[in-house]
Amino acid sequence: MERQRSFSLKPTRFMVFSFTIFSSFIFLTFFTTFLIKATPSVPQQAHLQFNQSSLVLGFTANLPLNGLQDSILNTTHFSKPDNASGSAGISVLVGLQLQRKTNESEVAPSEEDKGGGGLDSNFTALAPVSQNVREEVEKIELVSSSSKKIEENKTEVTSFEKNELVSGGKLEDKRKNGVCDFTRGRWVYDESYPLYTNGSCSLIDEGFNCQGNGRLDKDYMKWRWQPQDCDTPRFNATRMLELIRGKRLVFVGDSINRNQWESMLCMLMGAVKDPSKVYETHKRRITKEKGNYSFRFVDYKCTVEYYVSHFLVHESKARVGLKRKQVLRIDAIDHGSSRWRGADILIFNSAHWWSHYKTKAGINYYQEGGQIHPRLDVSIAFRKALMTWASWVDRYINSRRTRVFFRSSAPSHFRGGQWNSGGSCREASKPLETLSATSSEKNVIAEEVIKQMRTPITFLNITRLSEYRIDGHPSIYGRKSASGSQDCSHWCLPGIPDVWNELLYAHLL
């Protein structure tokens, strides 16, 4: 007699079975919740999405299959998704409104509608649409356009708030690729300038203090540089001091860089409540004789420094024939370079002294290693010197800590001769209206050398904007007592170097 089999489950199988049933229940619960939340509140809402190469339509609508394809193609406004403005959602609603209008009107298409000429150019018209439908499209498109414009304005304000407000609190930015070309623009007369006076700043040395030396006209101080495609931020001394809090801002170069350095000191003094908390660390008074200065701003624990270096490479002496003569070691960095290291912001320049007689002639003047060149072209020597400077920067400057600028050459405006041969600029009282088309060879060389460097360098190009300003030089007002020679190379303070510092400030922002 066959034994009756009993149905039984082993404990292990029972646990697996129970776990499977429980997991399935949990999964179905979450899946159902997800579907409920994902289902649109409007049954006929459509979601459109496409890329450059294809158009993909996804619908979560309970629309009848009959006529679905025609109604969608005929009435839907195809546009790229716009998460910021929400215009894509409005565009979809246009299609749904058109669908309802078409169903209600059932008007026969006109010849114009067949050709698609009655629709806005933003629409793809693939089938007839009635006049009423077109009016509805125009209304909804107007709402879409207004909504998009509002969102664009919000976006512009948001991005603008990241930068310093310009004068007037308005930014007219027509930049291409997000880069402003500061070199092209015009000088605009602005009564709100200058940013300081020789009375409010006692740090202007005699050579740049034109008002203190008897200059009576003041218009040269009231011109503001207006770039062609954007606005530069108005200099904010407090903001600048915050930018350099606990840091070293260092200018290295010739007396034109000292001109800019003094300008920066005076501009920063506008935010200092207690002038006694700004002092020169070596207790030096600014003159043409002393080469190195370091001013400490106590409240901000920062220093603004200047180190003289006419060529950025080492000036030395060597035996030429029977005499020891001054030479320029174009293969050796200036021996004062150890003072530049550790700076947080470095502004270099070198151009002014390369136009002097000895450097231009290049006879028994340039030295490389143990060799003194009997004759070397000044352009070749300038390039070699800048390559020596570039090698030093790449070797000793940490670009993660230090921001490096190289300022372009500042123009001179001598007429009828040079500084030692009767050159003059005294009669100038307004900026020039036109410029010659010539370019600075030194600037071209500098940019070529900078492009080959490992360290990122910002080329602060102030040449062209300064070429207009023949009125900005000290001329006979570089000294208290007028002398025969005129200074048409340096600049009055307040004056054009203030604008160079505003551009520097814009880059730092």
Side-chain angles (χ1 to χ4, degrees), residues 115-183:
L119 288 178
D120 185 90
S121 60
N122 289 331
F123 283 77
T124 302
L126 302 178
V129 182
S130 69
Q131 179 63 30
N132 291 336
V133 174
R134 279 199 303 274
E135 291 176 358
E136 187 71 12
V137 170
E138 292 174 357
K139 292 178 182 178
I140 299 176
E141 272 296 275
L142 180 60
V143 174
S144 174
S145 176
S146 301
S147 175
K148 187 173 183 180
K149 185 64 177 177
I150 292 172
E151 291 299 326
E152 286 177 352
N153 290 340
K154 288 181 180 178
T155 302
E156 181 179 6
V157 171
T158 301
S159 62
F160 178 66
E161 286 173 349
K162 295 179 181 178
N163 297 318
E164 187 70 19
L165 291 176
V166 298
S167 179
K170 187 176 181 181
L171 177 66
E172 295 293 340
D173 193 348
K174 303 173 184 176
R175 298 181 290 184
K176 295 181 179 180
N177 301 322
V179 178
C180 179
D181 184 0
F182 293 128
T183 65

Side-chain angles (χ1 to χ4, degrees), residues 290-460:
K290 300 292 183 181
N292 304 318
Y293 301 94
S294 175
F295 274 80
R296 176 169 293 280
F297 289 73
V298 175
D299 290 339
Y300 294 89
K301 299 179 181 178
C302 64
T303 56
V304 182
E305 308 168 36
Y306 167 72
Y307 298 98
V308 62
S309 182
H310 301 133
F311 304 99
L312 301 180
V313 291
H314 183 49
E315 296 178 73
S316 182
K317 287 188 176 182
R319 185 173 296 278
V320 180
L322 299 177
K323 296 182 179 179
R324 285 182 62 82
K325 292 186 177 181
Q326 191 172 24
V327 295
L328 193 62
R329 289 286 307 274
I330 54 179
D331 62 342
I333 197 69
D334 190 309
H335 284 185
S337 60
S338 60
R339 296 168 177 167
W340 318 338
R341 293 172 64 175
D344 298 278
I345 303 169
L346 273 167
I347 301 98
F348 291 98
N349 94 299
S350 184
H352 187 55
W353 282 60
W354 290 91
S355 61
H356 288 192
Y357 174 76
K358 280 190 297 185
T359 49
K360 287 183 69 175
I363 300 173
N364 293 322
Y365 182 62
Y366 298 113
Q367 180 179 354
E368 287 186 276
Q371 178 189 6
I372 298 176
H373 294 281
R375 181 185 291 272
L376 185 65
D377 183 78
V378 64
S379 297
I380 297 175
F382 181 68
R383 183 183 294 273
K384 286 178 176 287
L386 282 191
M387 290 175 67
T388 299
W389 164 80
S391 297
W392 180 87
V393 170
D394 281 342
R395 181 177 180 182
Y396 292 106
I397 297 301
N398 182 353
S399 60
R400 291 191 297 270
R401 173 184 173 179
T402 304
R403 181 82 182 268
V404 183
F405 294 84
F406 189 94
R407 182 177 54 74
S408 68
S409 59
S412 298
H413 289 96
F414 289 101
R415 290 176 172 176
Q418 291 301 311
W419 65 275
N420 57 352
S421 59
S424 159
C425 55
R426 180 180 180 180
E427 65 279 3
S429 59
K430 292 183 179 180
L432 296 172
E433 294 183 359
T434 58
L435 298 179
S436 61
T438 59
S439 59
S440 169
E441 183 184 18
K442 295 185 184 70
N443 287 349
V444 173
I445 294 172
E447 289 191 275
E448 290 175 351
V449 170
I450 287 171
K451 287 178 182 178
Q452 299 172 7
M453 296 176 65
R454 213 171 46 245
T455 306
I457 307 292
T458 301
F459 187 70
L460 193 64

